[in-house]
């Protein structure tokens, strides 16, 4: 992009490319493990139901219900509440006021020892 608008568009695109924190990456991988575990359990229950002679449509509907219920859509909210409560439990008011700094340090890739 050789125009001024093109350069501005590139700068906006670069600024919008947000890096994820380690906590976000861990939550995503944990959610992925939960989804695969739930799918495995649902498949096992479907197979056991077929083995017992249950109707396939009834098993299908039950399996879909279980799979949808197992998706961890509330996981980020639960983690946020847990971290907030842990921060409030800090004995030092100074530690509570520096929660943003702690999050920033946690998102760094290299830590000084």
């Amino acid at each position: 992009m050789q125009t001024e608008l093109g350069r501005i568009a590139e700068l906006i695109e670069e600024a919008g490319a947000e890096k994820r924190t380690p906590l976000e990456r861990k939550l995503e991988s944990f959610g992925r493990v939960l989804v695969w575990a739930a799918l495995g359990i649902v498949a096992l229950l479907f197979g056991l139901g077929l083995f017992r002679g249950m109707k396939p449509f009834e098993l299908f509907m039950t399996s879909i219900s279980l799979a949808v219920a197992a998706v961890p859509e509330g996981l980020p909210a639960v983690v946020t509440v847990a971290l907030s409560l842990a921060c409030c439990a800090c004995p030092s008011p100074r530690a509570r006021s520096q929660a943003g700094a702690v999050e920033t340090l946690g998102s760094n890739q290299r830590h000084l020892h």
Side-chain angles (χ1 to χ4, degrees):
M1 307 214 173
Q2 298 181 6
T3 64
E4 191 64 31
L5 283 177
R7 282 189 229 122
I8 292 172
E10 285 178 1
L11 289 173
I12 290 173
E13 186 176 317
E14 287 176 13
E18 187 176 307
K19 293 185 179 179
R20 296 180 330 166
T21 64
L23 179 62
E24 290 172 330
R25 289 192 298 263
K26 286 181 182 179
L27 280 176
E28 183 180 332
S29 67
F30 180 66
R32 195 175 300 123
V33 167
L34 280 178
V35 166
W36 283 109
L39 288 176
I41 291 171
V42 165
L44 178 70
L45 290 175
F46 189 84
L48 288 174
L50 284 177
F51 181 72
R52 292 185 60 198
M54 296 177 74
K55 296 178 184 176
F57 181 74
E58 184 179 322
L59 285 172
F60 177 73
M61 295 301 287
T62 304
S63 299
I64 294 297
S65 300
L66 287 172
V68 168
V71 174
E73 64 188 33
L75 186 62
V78 170
V79 170
T80 302
V81 169
L83 289 175
S84 298
L85 290 174
C87 185
C88 289
C90 289
S92 167
R94 186 169 179 221
R96 281 182 259 152
S97 67
Q98 295 178 346
V102 171
E103 182 183 354
T104 303
L105 285 175
S107 66
N108 287 337
Q109 295 297 322
R110 291 182 102 174
H111 298 285
L112 297 174
H113 295 288

